[in-house]
Amino acid sequence: MRRWLVRGGLALLAALVLLVGYGVLIEPRLVLDDERHAVELPRLPAGSDPLEVAVLADMQIGMWWANTGMVARAVERVVEAEPDVVLLGGDFVYHAGPDVEPEVTAAMDLLSPLLDSGVPTYAVLGNHDHASGAADELTTVLEDAGVPVLLNESEPVPGVEALHVVGVGPSRPGLADVDQALAGLPETAPRVVLMHNPTAFPEMPAGSAPLTVAGHTHCGQIALPGLPNWSYLGLTEEEEVVVDGWAPAGYGADGIPLFVTCGLGFSLVPVRVNAPPQVVFFELTPPD
């Protein structure tokens, strides 16, 4: 009996070592999930060509053993796709030092192929960008590079079927203001809403957001297959949160879908299991 217990314990230990090795070395650094969705977007002119919107989030530069190689690969994937619009979902940095410039510079260097491509790009900041003290520096360098950083405001996308991007501030540190973000937005304007924290989504009024995208969650970072709510994040978050993919019915107002991307980087530990880094593309078409 003792021999079988020892063998069982060794087998479990070996499985754990393999799982950790996979979560540290394989999934986060070699597996890039390229997810694509078709969305009918109200208010797009009838007969207009499809619009492709790409979403990147959670680079987390400054995290120990940061996933910079995967960030570079994801940026390259987006540039090669030549979308009509790119949305950056915040948390460009994880934890900056006393001088935030090295992390901000590293983030901008990784984004440079996208910034040089000329694709209209819009951003919101995340909780780590603010907590690390890098928010002002990030806003300056992004906007100097032609990327509007939207803090509870909207911007039209020049030449893209009058599409507007609405940016909602991060829920932490309490900067989300949905009403302000929607104020001044033409009622007839087709729009996509970009937010960092999906916990701001239930504040969206019915009919205000035919598509909302968010990041922040890393899809739980360590999740059970098919059970994202049983991920590390889903079990430890103090409030209800959508961790992965499309929000279920009942989360937020009816008829305004939310998609939460897995993002690219890490939080706390450099591990991803069943939550691979992700680039998301949406093909927007007018309603039939």
Side-chain angles (χ1 to χ4, degrees), residues 23-115:
V24 172
L25 299 174
I26 305 300
E27 182 171 301
R29 303 186 188 277
L30 300 179
V31 181
L32 178 59
D33 180 22
D34 184 333
E35 194 153 335
R36 296 173 184 269
H37 299 276
V39 175
E40 290 189 354
L41 197 73
R43 306 180 183 90
L44 276 181
S48 60
D49 293 333
L51 300 175
E52 187 172 52
V53 176
V55 181
L56 294 169
D58 302 293
M59 295 166 59
Q60 306 284 19
I61 304 304
M63 165 74 186
W64 60 287
W65 207 4
N67 208 8
T68 53
M70 181 56 74
V71 173
R73 182 178 166 192
V75 170
E76 181 182 11
R77 178 75 58 87
V78 169
V79 172
E80 289 175 348
E82 298 182 341
D84 296 289
V85 183
V86 176
L87 305 180
L88 303 177
D91 274 2
F92 295 90
V93 302
Y94 181 75
H95 178 70
D99 179 5
V100 301
E101 189 171 343
E103 285 80 9
V104 173
T105 298
M108 295 300 291
D109 286 346
L110 288 164
L111 288 170
S112 60
L114 171 61
L115 303 177

Side-chain angles (χ1 to χ4, degrees), residues 34-275:
D34 184 333
E35 194 153 335
R36 296 173 184 269
H37 299 276
V39 175
E40 290 189 354
L41 197 73
R43 306 180 183 90
L44 276 181
S48 60
D49 293 333
L51 300 175
E52 187 172 52
V53 176
V55 181
L56 294 169
D58 302 293
M59 295 166 59
Q60 306 284 19
I61 304 304
M63 165 74 186
W64 60 287
W65 207 4
N67 208 8
T68 53
M70 181 56 74
V71 173
R73 182 178 166 192
V75 170
E76 181 182 11
R77 178 75 58 87
V78 169
V79 172
E80 289 175 348
E82 298 182 341
D84 296 289
V85 183
V86 176
L87 305 180
L88 303 177
D91 274 2
F92 295 90
V93 302
Y94 181 75
H95 178 70
D99 179 5
V100 301
E101 189 171 343
E103 285 80 9
V104 173
T105 298
M108 295 300 291
D109 286 346
L110 288 164
L111 288 170
S112 60
L114 171 61
L115 303 177
D116 293 341
S117 72
V119 176
T121 302
Y122 298 80
V124 294
L125 300 185
N127 54 294
H128 284 283
D129 300 323
H130 286 275
S132 66
D136 290 342
E137 181 74 12
L138 279 166
T139 298
T140 297
V141 297
L142 284 166
E143 295 196 335
D144 285 349
V147 179
V149 177
L150 303 177
L151 179 58
N152 302 316
E153 57 190 312
S154 64
E155 285 274 351
V157 182
V160 185
E161 299 291 354
L163 180 70
H164 282 63
V165 177
V166 180
V168 177
S171 299
R172 300 171 185 171
L175 296 177
D177 189 330
V178 167
D179 291 338
Q180 180 178 325
L182 296 170
L185 181 68
E187 186 175 344
T188 59
R191 78 286 303 265
V192 173
V193 177
L194 173 65
M195 59 179 60
H196 179 68
N197 304 73
T199 49
F201 178 73
E203 301 173 27
M204 300 292 299
S208 64
L211 174 63
T212 297
V213 294
H216 178 68
T217 68
H218 308 177
C219 289
Q221 201 164 299
I222 300 173
L224 294 178
L227 295 170
N229 289 332
W230 284 79
S231 66
Y232 167 79
L233 179 69
L235 293 173
T236 58
E237 193 76 4
E238 293 182 0
E239 55 190 323
E240 183 182 2
V241 60
V242 175
V243 175
D244 181 3
W246 293 105
Y251 188 79
D254 291 339
I256 53 171
L258 164 71
F259 186 93
V260 181
T261 175
C262 295
L264 300 168
F266 306 112
S267 183
L268 298 179
V269 292
V271 177
R272 279 180 178 261
V273 176
N274 197 43

